[in-house]
Amino acid sequence: IDLAHADVRAALTVGLGRPEFDGVALADVAGPNSHAAALDATRFAGRPPYATRAARTVFLHSLELTAQAGAGRNDYLLGTLTTEDEPTIIGEALAELEKTAWYLSFDTSRWRFVTEPQPAKIIEDEARNIPLTTVRQELDELIARVFPTDGDVRAIHFPQGVADIPDERHLRLVVLHYDDLSVKTADATPPPSRLVDMLDKAGVGEGIRAYRNSVLFLVADSDLLETMRDRVRQLLAVEKIVGDGARMQGFAEPVRKRLTNMAH
């Protein structure tokens, strides 16, 4: 069944008395913009669409008007496997999909789609309210913590120019600010002229650097900048949600537990 087709979605949801599931299908299961399709395009690129197939099976089982709605292991394997598939890949697809899906839930024995937002949706909604300035400040502090001065290796964070990098015998790790300089992996060689200047010159007068071999540079990958910002934004969102006790009480226990675990 092709759930990407609007008429089919309507038949599945309205026809079974569950029109509230139409938004669930659109977000997580049906069509090229769903979370299942996104997972198939990345995690399972070049392979069968395991996430979409598994999500369809669980979605159909979730439409049952019973307390046991959802798909246990036997259900999702029987509804998804082909003769060429390994059983473990279907469970893996569902576990990966849960990380990004807005409405997929797991209760330790059964997968099911629900109409209540799950952690990925809750976090994404909150992340939109985090200002870019807050993200930048947190990211700068995080980078400084990840790359600290360690023994004889001195870390120099976000230098503005040659004069900020002392010319001395001890090893120095120079971390360039991601907004000031970034490179793409494919064209990182030869290095940017700014790095060459920092390596070759020293002091306010920009004389010749004597200890060139004692300087290492760390530069951000341009292709990963947005991913880095998004992860920090989501971390801040989780911390804000978990820190609001009244708001947390409004979530179901499994959702509260997952959010708490994600904050740690």
Side-chain angles (χ1 to χ4, degrees):
I1 297 177
D2 185 3
L3 292 182
H5 195 285
D7 292 339
V8 176
R9 288 201 306 273
L12 285 172
T13 55
V14 178
L16 291 173
R18 306 301 298 275
E20 68 273 22
F21 269 78
D22 195 52
V24 175
L26 281 171
D28 290 337
V29 183
N33 297 321
S34 69
H35 290 108
L39 181 59
D40 284 329
T42 53
R43 175 63 178 82
F44 300 112
R47 304 172 68 182
Y50 294 119
T52 297
R53 283 166 38 188
R56 290 173 178 176
T57 299
V58 172
F59 181 82
L60 290 173
H61 280 279
S62 301
L63 296 173
E64 300 176 79
L65 295 173
T66 68
Q68 295 301 313
R73 186 173 187 274
N74 289 340
D75 298 321
Y76 68 71
L77 289 181
L78 287 173
T80 308
L81 280 177
T82 70
T83 56
E84 299 177 352
D85 296 331
E86 289 291 335
T88 55
I89 199 69
I90 308 303
E92 178 186 337
L94 288 170
E96 286 297 312
L97 180 58
E98 185 189 23
K99 298 176 182 179
T100 57
W102 287 358
Y103 300 103
L104 181 60
S105 174
F106 183 61
D107 65 2
T108 72
S109 63
R110 301 180 73 79
W111 290 98
R112 67 187 180 117
F113 283 100
V114 297
T115 55
E116 300 81 13
Q118 296 301 292
K121 170 66 169 171
I122 296 168
I123 293 169
E124 183 165 326
D125 288 344
E126 183 61 42
R128 296 193 186 102
N129 300 322
I130 305 295
L132 182 59
T133 53
T134 302
V135 173
R136 178 187 169 104
Q137 179 180 349
E138 178 66 21
L139 184 51
D140 290 353
E141 294 175 358
L142 179 60
I143 291 173
R145 292 197 300 270
V146 171
F147 301 102
T149 293
D150 184 7
D152 291 334
V153 181
R154 177 186 173 189
I156 301 175
H157 302 110
F158 317 140
Q160 296 298 308
V162 171
D164 294 331
I165 307 173
D167 187 18
E168 54 190 28
R169 186 186 301 272
H170 298 293
L171 187 63
R172 281 143 297 147
L173 174 64
V174 181
V175 183
L176 278 296
H177 197 280
Y178 48 90
D179 282 343
D180 292 338
L181 181 66
S182 62
V183 295
K184 292 186 177 182
T185 303
D187 56 12
T189 303
S193 59
R194 184 177 178 188
L195 285 189
V196 175
D197 285 344
M198 290 182 175
L199 178 64
D200 291 341
K201 301 174 183 178
V204 176
E206 298 188 355
I208 297 176
R209 184 176 296 277
Y211 299 103
R212 296 174 73 256
N213 292 339
S214 66
V215 182
L216 300 175
F217 294 96
L218 184 64
V219 184
D221 188 327
S222 302
D223 292 333
L224 298 177
L225 286 180
E226 284 308 311
T227 299
M228 180 173 65
R229 292 189 182 99
D230 286 344
R231 289 184 178 179
V232 171
R233 186 178 286 107
Q234 290 176 357
L235 175 62
L236 291 170
V238 171
E239 292 176 348
K240 185 175 181 179
I241 294 167
V242 173
D244 188 339
R247 184 177 181 184
M248 286 287 284
Q249 289 304 310
F251 301 133
E253 174 58 28
V255 174
R256 290 201 301 270
K257 184 175 181 180
R258 283 184 61 196
L259 286 170
T260 301
N261 290 339
M262 293 169 75
H264 298 87

